[in-house]
Amino acid sequence: MHFVSTKTILNSHGINIYRGCAHGCVYCDSRSLCYQFSHDFEDIEAKQNAPELLEEALRKKRKRSVIGTGSMGDPYVPAEKELLLTRRCLEIIDRYNFGAALLTKSDLLLRDLDILMRINNKTKAVVQITLTTADDNLCKILEPGVCPTSRRFEVLRACKEAGIPTVVWFSPLLPFINDTEENIDGIVDYCVRSGVRAIICFGIGLTLREGNREYFYAALERAALRDQRFAGLKERYQKTYGFSYVVSSPKERQLMARLDRLCKENNIMLGTESVFKWMEEFPDADPMQPELF
């Protein structure tokens, strides 16, 4: 990890306190060369002045909104336990009466439930968790540096008990690996039992472009050495998809139909733009001054 002082922190999509990640997820699109990382992806960049910049930006902002974080780096990287940059930013969001929407795979989020509850009681807080497989053993291969799916389910349940709405990122589902009806059913079951409000799904598949494609194929080769399910998968991907950016499952249509049916049966919102629109909606309220004292 290394530290930087940046000039700005807030953009139209929210904030990124950390850049890079140590989760080691085999499919991560953020590794793509187009994002122009000037450092190793695992050498996480921490924006040490993020809280001060955020406070300055929110103080000047005339219209309150939901502040998102987690798009280019998990807000709960392991070092956050000591650095408290995400927690300090949430405290500022709370103080200035804005909303918060966090995307993470980490159970460290539970540490900050107290602030998220305060934000949600006044405006709006949304917790987003990625679930890709209902199989914890497979999860350890696909996402080796993060807590397993069963633990993320416990995080979702804790949010439900705290009254905080949750969204599951149902992405990516990898062709020939976890693109199965059993996996669809297992993840939706987790969502139903934890009271998830919505599911974001971009289709059954993943994206591969220069940078993350090479990492993904190397990960498949490593996995094949210890798990027979991965034997020959790299070659199968190369033969089936070549250098395609969008890598869709051959079973995408039937699996999306199954996911759509299960969501309707369990009153779970399913989509992309519609879910993003709901998350970004700021509750109507009279303007409030920051709680400075």
Side-chain angles (χ1 to χ4, degrees):
M1 170 168 280
H2 65 282
F3 298 89
V4 298
S5 292
T6 186
K7 293 182 179 180
T8 61
I9 190 68
L10 182 63
N11 57 46
S12 59
H13 301 291
I15 61 175
N16 281 300
I17 303 163
Y18 300 100
R19 196 162 187 261
C21 190
H23 291 338
C25 301
V26 303
Y27 49 74
C28 184
D29 178 70
S30 294
R31 292 180 179 275
S32 300
L33 297 185
C34 64
Y35 295 115
Q36 300 179 330
F37 272 78
S38 58
H39 53 86
D40 290 339
F41 191 70
E42 286 78 13
D43 179 19
I44 300 169
E45 178 180 280
K47 299 174 183 177
Q48 58 189 352
N49 60 337
E52 292 79 10
L53 288 176
L54 180 62
E55 180 159 22
E56 180 182 359
L58 297 190
R59 188 187 299 120
K60 297 176 181 177
K61 207 168 177 9
R62 299 185 63 85
K63 184 177 181 181
R64 289 180 296 144
S65 62
V66 176
I67 308 298
T69 187
S71 61
M72 286 302 296
D74 199 305
Y76 290 104
V77 298
E80 165 62 20
K81 188 173 183 179
E82 288 76 35
L83 294 177
L84 302 176
L85 292 175
T86 295
R87 183 172 179 87
R88 288 171 59 197
C89 285
L90 287 174
E91 289 171 340
I92 291 164
I93 289 170
D94 176 36
R95 187 183 313 142
Y96 284 83
N97 298 298
F98 280 70
L102 293 89
L103 172 59
T104 184
K105 290 190 180 97
S106 173
D107 57 357
L108 183 55
L109 175 136
L110 295 175
R111 180 201 65 187
D112 294 338
L113 272 186
D114 58 334
I115 306 176
L116 290 170
M117 288 173 65
R118 291 203 303 267
I119 293 172
N120 196 52
N121 287 336
K122 292 189 296 182
T123 56
K124 184 177 188 177
V126 180
V127 168
Q128 306 163 76
I129 301 284
T130 299
L131 300 182
T132 62
T133 174
D135 181 344
D136 275 359
N137 291 323
L138 182 58
C139 178
K140 292 176 183 177
I141 297 174
L142 301 181
E143 303 159 341
V146 70
C147 63
T149 304
S150 57
R151 176 58 175 163
R152 282 177 251 172
F153 164 65
E154 294 174 359
V155 174
L156 289 167
R157 288 197 62 173
C159 290
K160 177 185 178 183
E161 293 171 1
I164 298 169
T166 54
V167 173
V168 160
W169 283 60
F170 202 96
S171 175
L173 268 68
L174 312 180
F176 320 127
I177 299 175
N178 59 345
D179 58 337
T180 65
E181 291 185 354
E182 179 184 17
N183 192 40
I184 296 281
D185 295 351
I187 295 177
V188 172
D189 180 63
Y190 272 140
C191 293
V192 172
R193 289 193 287 136
S194 58
V196 165
R197 176 76 62 88
I199 288 175
I200 290 174
C201 183
F202 298 96
I204 310 299
L206 74 158
T207 58
L208 290 177
R209 49 187 164 187
E210 189 176 5
N212 78 311
R213 181 187 294 111
E214 292 79 4
Y215 187 88
F216 178 68
Y217 284 160
L220 292 184
E221 289 184 318
R222 291 194 300 271
L225 296 176
R226 60 183 190 275
D227 192 313
Q228 188 60 33
R229 288 176 293 182
F230 290 83
L233 266 185
K234 173 187 172 182
E235 292 74 20
R236 189 176 183 184
Y237 265 84
Q238 290 174 324
K239 182 178 179 180
T240 305
Y241 301 108
F243 289 91
S244 297
Y245 167 49
V246 178
V247 175
S248 299
S249 167
K251 299 181 287 185
E252 180 172 35
R253 178 177 293 183
Q254 69 192 65
L255 293 178
M256 282 301 297
R258 189 179 189 89
L259 176 60
D260 181 68
R261 175 176 60 81
L262 290 172
C263 286
K264 287 177 178 176
E265 290 175 355
N266 292 284
N267 197 30
I268 297 174
M269 185 191 312
L270 172 65
T272 52
E273 292 184 8
S274 59
V275 180
F276 286 127
K277 182 179 179 181
W278 167 74
M279 283 197 291
E280 292 168 0
E281 289 174 350
F282 195 78
D284 292 330
D286 293 330
M288 299 171 65
Q289 293 297 320
E291 297 176 354
L292 299 179
F293 305 102

Coordinates of all heavy atoms in Angstrom, one line a residue, residues 4 6 8-10 15-18 46-59 80 83-93 95-96:
V4 N -1.3 8.7 -1.2 CA -1.2 9.9 -2.0 C -2.1 11.0 -1.5 O -3.0 10.7 -0.7 CB -1.6 9.6 -3.5 CG1 -0.7 8.6 -4.1 CG2 -3.0 9.2 -3.6
T6 N -4.5 13.8 -3.0 CA -5.1 14.1 -4.3 C -5.7 15.5 -4.3 O -5.9 16.0 -3.2 CB -6.1 13.0 -4.7 OG1 -6.6 13.3 -6.0 CG2 -7.3 13.0 -3.7
T8 N -8.8 16.3 -5.8 CA -10.2 16.2 -5.7 C -10.6 14.8 -5.3 O -9.8 13.9 -5.5 CB -10.9 16.5 -7.1 OG1 -10.4 15.6 -8.1 CG2 -10.6 18.0 -7.5
I9 N -11.8 14.7 -4.8 CA -12.3 13.3 -4.4 C -13.7 13.1 -4.9 O -14.0 11.9 -5.2 CB -12.2 13.2 -2.8 CG1 -12.5 11.7 -2.4 CG2 -13.2 14.1 -2.2 CD1 -11.4 10.8 -2.8
L10 N -14.5 14.1 -5.0 CA -15.9 13.9 -5.4 C -16.1 14.1 -6.9 O -15.7 15.2 -7.4 CB -16.8 14.8 -4.6 CG -18.3 14.7 -4.8 CD1 -18.8 13.3 -4.4 CD2 -19.0 15.8 -4.0
I15 N -17.2 8.8 -4.8 CA -15.8 9.0 -4.4 C -15.2 7.6 -4.5 O -15.8 6.6 -4.3 CB -15.7 9.5 -3.0 CG1 -16.4 8.6 -2.0 CG2 -16.3 10.9 -2.9 CD1 -16.3 9.0 -0.5
N16 N -13.8 7.6 -4.7 CA -13.0 6.4 -4.5 C -11.9 6.7 -3.6 O -11.0 7.4 -3.9 CB -12.5 5.9 -5.9 CG -13.6 5.2 -6.7 OD1 -14.1 4.2 -6.3 ND2 -13.9 5.7 -7.9
I17 N -12.0 6.1 -2.4 CA -11.0 6.4 -1.3 C -9.7 5.6 -1.6 O -8.6 6.1 -1.3 CB -11.6 6.1 0.0 CG1 -12.9 6.9 0.2 CG2 -10.6 6.3 1.2 CD1 -13.8 6.4 1.3
Y18 N -9.9 4.4 -2.1 CA -8.8 3.5 -2.4 C -8.8 3.2 -3.9 O -9.9 3.1 -4.5 CB -8.9 2.2 -1.6 CG -8.8 2.4 -0.1 CD1 -10.0 2.4 0.7 CD2 -7.6 2.6 0.6 CE1 -10.0 2.6 2.1 CE2 -7.6 2.8 2.0 CZ -8.8 2.8 2.7 OH -8.7 3.0 4.0
A46 N -4.0 4.7 -1.3 CA -4.9 5.2 -0.3 C -4.8 6.8 -0.4 O -3.8 7.4 -0.3 CB -4.5 4.8 1.1
K47 N -6.0 7.4 -0.6 CA -6.0 8.8 -0.7 C -6.2 9.4 0.7 O -7.3 9.5 1.2 CB -7.2 9.2 -1.6 CG -7.0 8.7 -3.0 CD -8.3 9.0 -3.9 CE -8.1 8.4 -5.3 NZ -9.2 8.5 -6.2
Q48 N -5.0 9.7 1.3 CA -5.0 10.0 2.7 C -5.7 11.3 3.1 O -6.1 11.5 4.2 CB -3.5 10.1 3.2 CG -2.7 11.2 2.4 CD -1.2 11.1 2.8 OE1 -0.8 10.3 3.7 NE2 -0.4 11.8 2.1
N49 N -5.9 12.2 2.1 CA -6.7 13.4 2.4 C -8.1 13.4 1.9 O -8.8 14.4 1.8 CB -6.0 14.6 1.8 CG -5.9 14.5 0.3 OD1 -5.9 13.4 -0.3 ND2 -5.7 15.7 -0.4
A50 N -8.6 12.2 1.7 CA -10.0 12.0 1.2 C -11.0 12.6 2.1 O -11.9 13.4 1.7 CB -10.3 10.5 1.0
P51 N -11.0 12.4 3.5 CA -12.0 13.0 4.3 C -12.0 14.5 4.3 O -13.1 15.1 4.2 CB -11.6 12.5 5.7 CG -10.8 11.2 5.5 CD -10.1 11.5 4.2
E52 N -10.8 15.1 4.3 CA -10.8 16.6 4.2 C -11.3 17.2 2.9 O -12.1 18.1 2.9 CB -9.3 17.1 4.4 CG -8.8 16.8 5.8 CD -8.3 15.4 6.0 OE1 -8.3 14.6 5.1 OE2 -8.0 15.0 7.2
L53 N -11.0 16.5 1.8 CA -11.5 16.9 0.5 C -13.0 16.7 0.4 O -13.7 17.6 -0.2 CB -10.8 16.2 -0.6 CG -9.3 16.5 -0.9 CD1 -8.8 15.6 -2.0 CD2 -9.2 18.0 -1.3
L54 N -13.5 15.6 1.0 CA -14.9 15.4 0.9 C -15.7 16.4 1.7 O -16.7 16.9 1.3 CB -15.2 14.0 1.4 CG -16.7 13.6 1.4 CD1 -17.3 13.6 0.0 CD2 -16.9 12.2 2.1
E55 N -15.2 16.7 2.9 CA -15.9 17.7 3.7 C -15.9 19.1 3.0 O -16.9 19.8 3.0 CB -15.2 17.9 5.1 CG -15.9 18.9 6.0 CD -15.6 18.8 7.4 OE1 -14.5 18.1 7.7 OE2 -16.4 19.2 8.2
E56 N -14.8 19.5 2.4 CA -14.8 20.7 1.6 C -15.8 20.7 0.5 O -16.5 21.7 0.2 CB -13.4 20.9 1.1 CG -13.2 22.2 0.3 CD -11.8 22.4 -0.3 OE1 -11.0 21.5 -0.1 OE2 -11.6 23.4 -1.0
A57 N -15.9 19.6 -0.2 CA -16.8 19.4 -1.4 C -18.3 19.5 -0.9 O -19.1 20.2 -1.5 CB -16.5 18.2 -2.1
L58 N -18.6 18.8 0.2 CA -20.0 18.7 0.6 C -20.4 20.1 1.2 O -21.6 20.4 1.2 CB -20.2 17.6 1.7 CG -19.9 16.2 1.1 CD1 -20.4 15.2 2.2 CD2 -20.6 15.9 -0.2
R59 N -19.5 20.8 1.8 CA -19.8 22.1 2.4 C -20.2 23.0 1.3 O -21.1 23.9 1.5 CB -18.6 22.6 3.1 CG -18.9 23.9 3.9 CD -17.6 24.5 4.5 NE -17.0 23.7 5.4 CZ -15.7 23.2 5.3 NH1 -15.0 23.5 4.2 NH2 -15.2 22.4 6.2
E80 N -8.1 -0.6 5.9 CA -9.1 0.3 6.4 C -9.4 0.1 7.9 O -9.8 1.0 8.6 CB -10.4 0.2 5.6 CG -11.7 0.8 6.2 CD -11.6 2.3 6.3 OE1 -10.8 3.0 5.7 OE2 -12.4 2.8 7.2
L83 N -6.7 2.4 9.1 CA -6.7 3.8 8.6 C -8.0 4.6 8.8 O -7.9 5.8 9.0 CB -6.5 3.7 7.1 CG -5.1 3.1 6.6 CD1 -5.0 3.0 5.1 CD2 -4.0 4.0 7.2
L84 N -9.1 3.9 8.8 CA -10.4 4.6 9.1 C -10.8 5.7 8.1 O -11.6 6.5 8.4 CB -10.4 5.2 10.5 CG -10.1 4.2 11.7 CD1 -10.0 5.0 13.0 CD2 -11.2 3.1 11.8
L85 N -10.3 5.6 6.9 CA -10.6 6.6 5.9 C -12.0 6.5 5.5 O -12.7 7.6 5.4 CB -9.7 6.5 4.7 CG -8.2 6.9 4.9 CD1 -7.4 6.6 3.7 CD2 -8.0 8.3 5.3
T86 N -12.5 5.3 5.2 CA -13.9 5.2 4.9 C -14.9 5.6 6.0 O -15.9 6.3 5.8 CB -14.2 3.7 4.5 OG1 -13.4 3.4 3.3 CG2 -15.7 3.5 4.2
R87 N -14.5 5.2 7.2 CA -15.4 5.6 8.3 C -15.4 7.1 8.5 O -16.5 7.7 8.7 CB -14.9 4.9 9.6 CG -15.8 5.2 10.8 CD -15.4 4.4 12.1 NE -16.3 4.8 13.2 CZ -17.5 4.3 13.4 NH1 -17.9 3.3 12.6 NH2 -18.2 4.7 14.4
R88 N -14.3 7.7 8.4 CA -14.3 9.2 8.5 C -15.1 9.9 7.4 O -15.8 10.9 7.7 CB -12.8 9.7 8.5 CG -12.0 9.4 9.7 CD -10.6 9.7 9.6 NE -10.3 11.1 9.2 CZ -9.2 11.6 8.7 NH1 -8.2 10.8 8.5 NH2 -9.1 12.9 8.5
C89 N -15.0 9.3 6.2 CA -15.9 9.9 5.1 C -17.3 9.7 5.4 O -18.2 10.6 5.1 CB -15.5 9.2 3.8 SG -13.9 9.8 3.1
L90 N -17.7 8.5 5.9 CA -19.1 8.3 6.3 C -19.6 9.2 7.4 O -20.7 9.7 7.4 CB -19.3 6.8 6.8 CG -19.3 5.8 5.7 CD1 -19.3 4.4 6.3 CD2 -20.4 6.0 4.7
E91 N -18.7 9.5 8.4 CA -19.0 10.5 9.4 C -19.3 11.9 8.8 O -20.2 12.6 9.3 CB -17.9 10.6 10.4 CG -17.8 9.3 11.3 CD -16.5 9.3 12.1 OE1 -15.5 10.0 11.8 OE2 -16.5 8.5 13.1
I92 N -18.5 12.3 7.8 CA -18.7 13.5 7.2 C -20.0 13.5 6.4 O -20.8 14.5 6.4 CB -17.5 13.9 6.2 CG1 -16.3 14.2 7.1 CG2 -17.8 15.1 5.3 CD1 -15.0 14.1 6.4
I93 N -20.3 12.4 5.7 CA -21.6 12.3 4.9 C -22.8 12.4 5.9 O -23.8 13.1 5.6 CB -21.6 11.0 4.2 CG1 -20.7 11.0 3.0 CG2 -23.0 10.7 3.7 CD1 -20.5 9.7 2.3
R95 N -22.7 14.0 8.9 CA -22.7 15.3 9.4 C -23.4 16.3 8.5 O -24.1 17.2 8.9 CB -21.3 15.8 9.7 CG -21.2 17.1 10.5 CD -19.7 17.5 10.7 NE -19.0 16.4 11.2 CZ -17.7 16.1 10.8 NH1 -17.1 16.8 9.9 NH2 -17.1 15.1 11.3
Y96 N -23.2 16.2 7.2 CA -23.7 17.1 6.2 C -25.1 16.6 5.6 O -25.6 17.2 4.7 CB -22.7 17.4 5.1 CG -21.6 18.3 5.6 CD1 -20.5 17.8 6.3 CD2 -21.7 19.7 5.4 CE1 -19.5 18.7 6.8 CE2 -20.7 20.6 5.9 CZ -19.6 20.0 6.5 OH -18.7 20.9 7.0

